[in-house]
Amino acid sequence: RMGCAVKFVSALDPSTTSFVTRLLQMFGVGELESMSWILATHSVHILEQLHKKRFLPRSDLNRLLQTDPRNGNNSLQLVATENAKFQLWQDGYAIGEVKAETIDIVLGVWRELQSEHLGDDEGPVEGLLPWSSEDAVSALRRVPIDAVTIREEGGFFAWPDTVIERACLGEKDGQVARQLFLHALADVWESIWHKYERKIMAQAKVTFGGPGENAPNSLDVSSAEVEATHVHTLLEHDQGTMFCSWLKDVFEALPAKGSQRATSLRALERLLQDRDTHRLQKFSQKLGVDSRLPVARLQAELSQKLASVAANLAEDPSGLVDFVTQSKHPLLGCLGGADLKPS
């Protein structure tokens, strides 16, 4: 999230007049220098330590929440009390005070998620019902929600319930807004490890799992060939769940959080990006995960690509030679990372 990233980066080496900060920077071990080294080496474990230290909204929420806010905590709210204190509430009771900047960061992420959930670019958010219309998001945006404005108004204010009430949302849209608020809380609360593993999982779903874009809603089995096609399509639908389950087993088998886990995650990410099924299987077996890598979705994609090549062979017999020569990798369609496409 851009707001979270800006807040984190602006907190690095906060004192420009501190002698200690200047001394650390002079020896190349300041936080900004560490961040450059992290970006160059993908040192997730070092980034986690720095993020936990400097991203204060995360520390604020970690102090009060022990589990992911999305896991059943539907009653979580951020509250401005009548005596102008900011608190985190659960089941109608305060569980601790939070800073105004924490509220503003969470609300910034909440508004980003509201736009994403419209589904134009990155959305909709997986597992949530869609908005009834864009009017719901417009109504939410018309309600002033920043902590300073609410404090100046005075009185009791609860995010998200008061915002939903003032926006006059229906029951369905109100529930969607509450769920997105919990996702925003979780986004600020979670560690770098959680974010990195979610990124890898999202990449894996695109590469290995999930239903096809044109999956049918009803079955037509008028012939054995059509029935076989539907069976294959249903298998593709199951691959999302199967592959996610396999990947979660791999995550659980990785070394404890530290430099070894960071190295292993980086290696796993590269294998997933390259769709290297052979080395992925060996990688998982070394960790003690003996279950077979689900590859039906990947095989279906390869079959479609090879089918298109076969169709062109009748007109151009040398097309297969050109295809193999240019692609080298039948799944990636590229040579050594270059963006080469078969003619």
Side-chain angles (χ1 to χ4, degrees), residues 29-294:
V29 291
E31 291 175 349
L32 291 173
E33 288 77 13
S34 296
M35 196 64 214
S36 298
W37 184 78
I38 288 168
L39 293 174
T41 60
H42 301 279
S43 301
V44 181
H45 58 297
I46 304 297
L47 178 59
E48 163 66 10
Q49 295 172 6
L50 193 56
H51 188 266
K52 190 174 183 178
K53 176 183 177 182
R54 289 302 182 193
F55 189 51
L56 297 182
R58 173 189 167 185
S59 302
D60 222 9
L61 294 178
N62 285 173
R63 175 173 50 85
L64 302 174
L65 295 174
Q66 304 302 317
T67 59
D68 192 324
R70 289 166 292 204
N71 295 339
N73 293 320
N74 295 323
S75 58
L76 282 172
Q77 297 184 90
L78 291 170
V79 167
T81 64
E82 294 177 351
N83 56 356
K85 289 185 178 180
F86 296 119
Q87 298 175 336
L88 180 66
W89 283 30
Q90 185 174 9
D91 297 325
Y93 296 96
I95 59 177
E97 293 191 9
V98 295
K99 298 178 177 62
E101 63 181 295
T102 299
I103 291 180
D104 285 336
I105 288 293
V106 172
L107 297 180
V109 175
W110 187 33
R111 286 205 155 162
E112 284 186 50
L113 289 173
Q114 291 169 15
S115 299
E116 286 181 16
H117 195 54
L118 287 172
D120 295 335
D121 298 316
E122 301 179 18
V125 177
E126 185 177 358
L128 300 187
L129 294 172
W131 295 113
S132 60
S133 69
E134 294 185 13
D135 294 339
V137 177
S138 300
L140 285 170
R141 289 178 177 172
R142 286 194 293 268
V143 180
I145 62 172
D146 63 281
V148 174
T149 301
I150 299 306
R151 175 176 277 170
E152 290 175 352
E153 285 184 2
F156 182 86
F157 193 98
W159 296 273
D161 284 0
T162 306
V163 181
I164 293 170
E165 182 182 345
R166 292 187 181 183
C168 302
L169 296 187
E171 182 178 353
K172 176 187 172 183
D173 286 330
Q175 185 62 25
V176 172
R178 288 186 182 89
Q179 292 297 322
L180 289 175
F181 181 79
L182 294 178
H183 277 69
L185 272 176
D187 198 282
V188 178
W189 168 87
E190 68 184 359
S191 68
I192 294 297
W193 294 109
H194 285 108
K195 295 180 186 297
Y196 191 31
E197 289 174 10
R198 278 199 298 112
K199 174 181 177 292
I200 293 175
M201 180 69 77
Q203 173 66 40
K205 284 181 180 179
V206 173
T207 306
F208 287 92
E213 294 181 358
N214 301 315
N217 295 322
S218 59
L219 297 181
D220 172 21
V221 289
S222 54
S223 68
E225 183 178 356
V226 173
E227 184 176 5
T229 301
H230 287 311
V231 170
H232 183 73
T233 302
L234 290 175
L235 181 60
E236 279 195 68
H237 275 273
D238 290 337
Q239 283 300 300
T241 303
M242 291 170 62
F243 189 84
C244 288
S245 177
W246 179 88
L247 191 54
K248 286 177 182 177
D249 290 341
V250 173
F251 283 154
E252 291 176 1
L254 289 173
K257 294 175 180 177
S259 59
Q260 288 186 337
R261 186 178 184 88
T263 302
S264 297
L265 283 172
R266 180 61 179 159
L268 176 61
E269 183 181 26
R270 285 197 297 266
L271 292 175
L272 288 169
Q273 289 173 346
D274 292 343
R275 302 182 181 185
D276 195 333
T277 55
H278 175 67
R279 286 185 173 85
L280 271 172
Q281 190 70 69
K282 291 178 64 177
F283 180 90
S284 65
Q285 289 174 346
K286 287 181 180 179
L287 295 171
V289 180
D290 295 325
S291 55
R292 190 172 180 81
L293 174 68

